[in-house]
Amino acid sequence: MNSQVALWVGFHVFVLAMLAIDLGMFHRHPHAVSSKEAGLWTGVWVTLSLIFCAGIWAFIGHEPAIQWITAYVVEYALSVDNLFVFLVVFSYFRVSLEHQHRVLFWGVLGAFVMRATLIITGTVLVSRFHWLIYLFGAFLLFTGVKMLFSKEEEEAADPEQRVVVKFARRVLPVSRQGQGSHFFVHEDGRLKVTPLFIVLLVVEVTDLLFAVDSIPAVLGITQEAFIAYTSNVCAILGLRSLFFLVSKLMDKFHFLQVGLSLILSFVGVKMLLTWFDIHLHEGLSLGVIALILAASIGASLIWPPAPEPGAEGEGEGEKAPEQKQDPDRVKG
């Protein structure tokens, strides 16, 4: 029991220390993150994650390590889908480049709490009610098929943004103008939240909605809370830097949604097969997931998307006048 507590405490101390270094030293002053800086931090987080996985292999065993890396790859792949929505959110609220990192940073801390709650609750429920595995499996299969035929993320994200903004305006005192990278300001003699704080709320809600898909997927790979949670956290840690690294290339990976839908469907089928006492080897699962992900990225590069009729690279700017008239937009 003491060793388990030490693992949980040690992991969180290390993560919080790295986040403190990230924000306190390298991003102390708001600035636009360059591709070089984003690439460096992406490499740092991936390397640290692999070192952590090697530690699990050495001290816990090879099977938990394979489960960890499989869950990590699945969560990292599904998290990439979040990036599309983050792009829409930042564009929708017109968040400047130098403030985007701060929003994602604090969004990660909120994600820790939500993911920990969902994973621990999920593992406890599955251990007591094993039939939930089949329910999760059916849900993932349905989600995968639905994602395969769904339209673009912008259409799905916009209603969620509107709901969060309307709720925040009714419940919270929102300042008339933003104050740089601050989330709270004193205005009219009272403490108010800034428009940037509303953006943070939208990011948190978006992550929560994506967790509804990703958490069952991870539980389909392992029901060990420590393995599921740490793999989730490590994937989320690398998400911020990955966002700035590939944000300008997102539209090129047009087959990625197909790959993610196949991954969700595969994990769902894997969970349902346990009803017939069929258990796929973890190494096989990792291989299939990696192959699907690599194939979707490779196909996107080999067969690039056809340019939209009339598109001249100024499409996003043409939408700006309509966006400014949106009454639900938080301006800052």
Side-chain angles (χ1 to χ4, degrees):
M1 182 63 180
N2 291 334
S3 61
Q4 286 291 324
V5 173
L7 285 174
W8 283 92
V9 172
F11 176 78
H12 284 94
V13 168
F14 174 75
V15 168
L16 293 177
M18 287 299 300
L19 288 176
I21 293 174
D22 183 358
L23 185 65
M25 294 180 59
F26 296 97
H27 295 94
R28 186 174 183 178
H29 302 290
H31 65 278
V33 179
S34 65
S35 297
K36 181 178 180 181
E37 181 182 357
L40 176 62
W41 273 103
T42 299
V44 168
W45 289 120
V46 171
T47 301
L48 290 174
S49 298
L50 294 178
I51 293 174
F52 184 80
C53 182
I56 292 178
W57 185 296
F59 296 103
I60 301 180
H62 70 280
E63 186 171 345
I66 295 177
Q67 291 177 348
W68 191 96
I69 194 65
T70 304
Y72 174 78
V73 170
V74 169
E75 179 60 30
Y76 207 73
L78 293 176
S79 294
V80 171
D81 207 31
N82 290 27
L83 303 185
F84 290 92
V85 179
F86 290 162
L87 281 174
V88 178
V89 170
F90 290 148
S91 174
Y92 185 86
F93 295 111
R94 299 190 295 277
V95 180
S96 59
L97 293 175
E98 60 267 25
H99 297 149
Q100 291 179 6
H101 180 274
R102 182 175 177 84
V103 173
L104 292 178
F105 176 90
W106 291 104
V108 165
L109 294 183
F112 287 170
V113 178
M114 291 188 293
R115 297 302 176 99
T117 303
L118 291 173
I119 288 175
I120 294 174
T121 302
T123 54
V124 170
L125 289 175
V126 169
S127 65
R128 295 185 179 182
F129 309 102
H130 186 72
W131 55 268
L132 286 175
I133 282 289
Y134 312 126
L135 183 62
F136 287 158
F139 172 75
L140 288 179
L141 183 58
F142 169 78
T143 303
V145 174
K146 181 181 178 182
M147 181 186 293
L148 186 62
F149 298 101
S150 65
K151 296 181 180 180
E152 294 196 7
E153 292 290 346
E154 284 97 333
E155 299 179 6
D158 189 63
E160 295 158 8
Q161 297 166 10
R162 292 175 182 270
V163 170
V164 175
V165 172
K166 288 181 178 179
F167 177 80
R169 280 180 167 175
R170 291 177 182 176
V171 177
L172 302 173
V174 182
S175 63
R176 289 185 294 273
Q177 293 183 345
Q179 294 289 334
S181 60
H182 295 287
F183 293 126
F184 303 93
V185 295
H186 283 279
E187 186 179 271
D188 300 328
R190 59 185 301 199
L191 184 66
K192 295 185 178 181
V193 300
T194 64
L196 196 65
F197 182 82
I198 307 301
V199 178
L200 177 61
L201 287 182
V202 174
V203 169
E204 296 288 9
V205 171
T206 300
D207 181 77
L208 179 61
L209 293 175
F210 272 94
V212 174
D213 293 336
S214 64
I215 298 303
V218 171
L219 294 178
I221 298 169
T222 177
Q223 285 87 56
E224 176 60 42
F226 183 76
I227 301 298
Y229 173 71
T230 54
S231 61
N232 230 261
V233 169
C234 287
I236 295 174
L237 285 172
L239 180 62
R240 294 169 303 122
S241 55
L242 185 65
F243 170 81
F244 296 104
L245 181 63
V246 303
S247 59
K248 297 181 180 180
L249 304 174
M250 297 292 282
D251 56 337
K252 297 183 182 297
F253 301 126
H254 59 295
F255 282 118
L256 184 60
Q257 181 169 328
V258 176
L260 296 178
S261 66
L262 293 177
I263 289 175
L264 285 177
S265 300
F266 170 74
V267 177
V269 170
K270 177 177 178 289
M271 298 169 78
L272 292 174
L273 286 177
T274 59
W275 174 274
F276 305 99
D277 200 26
I278 300 176
H279 302 273
L280 299 182
H281 191 273
E282 298 302 335
L284 176 62
S285 298
L286 176 60
V288 171
I289 291 169
L291 180 62
I292 293 174
L293 187 60
S296 63
I297 295 176
S300 299
L301 298 177
I302 296 174
W303 295 287
E308 296 182 4
E312 299 179 357
E314 300 289 334
E316 293 183 1
E318 295 173 356
K319 297 180 181 179
E322 295 183 8
Q323 292 177 344
K324 290 181 181 179
Q325 298 173 2
D326 190 339
D328 297 326
R329 182 71 55 81
V330 173
K331 297 180 180 180

